[in-house]
Amino acid sequence: MNKFPLVEMLAFFSRYEPVAHPDWRLPYRRDVKQVRSCFTKTQGGVIRSFYKLETKQGELITLSFNEQELLWSLDKSEGFEDQAIDRVLVLMERHKHKSSRAHRIIPYRFELLPEELAKRKYNGTEKPLIKRVQPYRFLRSKTPYQVIGIPTLHMENTMITKELNYVVQADNERFYHLVYILDKLDWRFMQEVNEEFFFVR
């Protein structure tokens, strides 16, 4: 897998409500002004990253990211007892020489909304891992590609890690196979895919 090039990825996470195409409920959208601090620690064998964020709306919010489950959570001890976060847009950097794993993942935007509203279609069961994150925009050879569709996706369990496979349609009308390697925080570019291989779409 290491022979395939790393790519920088803007990734879109969603937890409670299925989202066919990334979008935002504007009254609840929060844009990050700055990341005041971040760090990573292991809790019960699970790697979590923590972020103290200042939003452009003036709030101070702490978020945590569970790397293994691909779930973002809100610290409710800061006056957000009845709130939740659902959709999160983050930059996942390819460069590994950072102070911590948290420094490779930079939150850009998220939704802060009443927990009751966030969970109105949530039955207590988390979505499959492959559907908790999706490619949004990626950078390859200094060229940005906006993802406009994901015709196919599947997860492979290699016994060492999990690999999330996406075939995406970019805004240049071409198709690319991208893989997210769970334990490495790596997005890799596998190959361009010929459209003729899609027998059913």
Side-chain angles (χ1 to χ4, degrees):
M1 185 64 72
N2 289 339
K3 66 181 180 180
F4 297 101
L6 292 165
V7 293
E8 302 238 319
M9 177 68 69
L10 270 175
F12 182 84
F13 293 80
S14 60
R15 179 168 186 175
Y16 298 117
E17 189 167 321
V19 183
H21 302 285
D23 64 354
W24 304 96
R25 291 164 284 195
L26 293 181
Y28 309 112
R29 192 182 85 181
R30 296 294 187 271
D31 295 304
V32 176
K33 181 178 180 180
Q34 65 173 323
V35 179
R36 290 198 168 188
S37 64
C38 64
F39 64 93
T40 301
K41 68 178 180 180
T42 301
Q43 297 177 320
V46 177
I47 302 175
R48 298 178 188 270
S49 293
F50 296 84
Y51 301 84
K52 173 70 77 173
L53 306 175
E54 179 183 355
T55 69
K56 292 182 179 179
Q57 290 78 10
E59 300 139 322
L60 292 178
I61 295 175
T62 300
L63 301 183
S64 65
F65 176 55
N66 181 325
E67 290 188 11
Q68 290 173 248
E69 299 297 330
L70 299 179
L71 296 176
W72 287 87
S73 302
L74 171 69
D75 183 345
K76 297 188 176 186
S77 66
E78 301 175 325
F80 299 102
E81 291 82 1
D82 300 323
Q83 303 290 303
I85 61 167
D86 191 358
R87 306 170 188 178
V88 185
L89 183 69
V90 304
L91 173 64
M92 305 186 79
E93 295 189 337
R94 64 179 180 176
H95 300 293
K96 301 189 179 186
H97 302 293
K98 301 285 184 176
S99 304
S100 72
R101 294 168 72 91
H103 286 79
R104 289 186 63 195
I105 305 174
I106 305 170
Y108 273 13
R109 178 176 294 163
F110 59 93
E111 287 184 342
L112 177 69
L113 68 168
E115 187 170 31
E116 182 180 358
L117 176 60
K119 294 183 175 180
R120 63 181 178 176
K121 296 183 180 179
Y122 177 66
N123 63 5
T125 302
E126 301 291 355
K127 294 185 295 186
L129 202 64
I130 189 71
K131 294 187 177 181
R132 297 178 197 175
V133 61
Q134 59 183 289
Y136 179 78
R137 183 181 299 142
F138 63 98
L139 185 69
R140 179 173 178 259
S141 301
K142 298 184 179 180
T143 302
Y145 296 88
Q146 179 68 48
V147 174
I148 63 173
I150 304 177
T152 67
L153 69 168
H154 72 278
M155 185 184 77
E156 296 179 15
N157 191 337
T158 66
M159 304 306 293
I160 299 173
T161 186
K162 293 182 174 69
E163 297 177 355
L164 308 184
N165 290 261
Y166 303 85
V167 173
V168 304
Q169 181 181 7
D171 53 359
N172 62 355
E173 300 300 327
R174 298 167 81 170
F175 296 83
Y176 304 99
H177 180 192
L178 305 170
V179 174
Y180 178 61
I181 305 171
L182 197 65
D183 68 327
K184 302 291 187 183
L185 301 181
D186 288 346
W187 284 93
R188 291 192 178 270
F189 181 92
M190 305 300 287
Q191 63 182 338
E192 183 172 348
V193 179
N194 195 317
E195 186 175 3
E196 280 72 19
F197 284 103
F198 295 108
F199 300 107
V200 179
R201 291 184 57 198

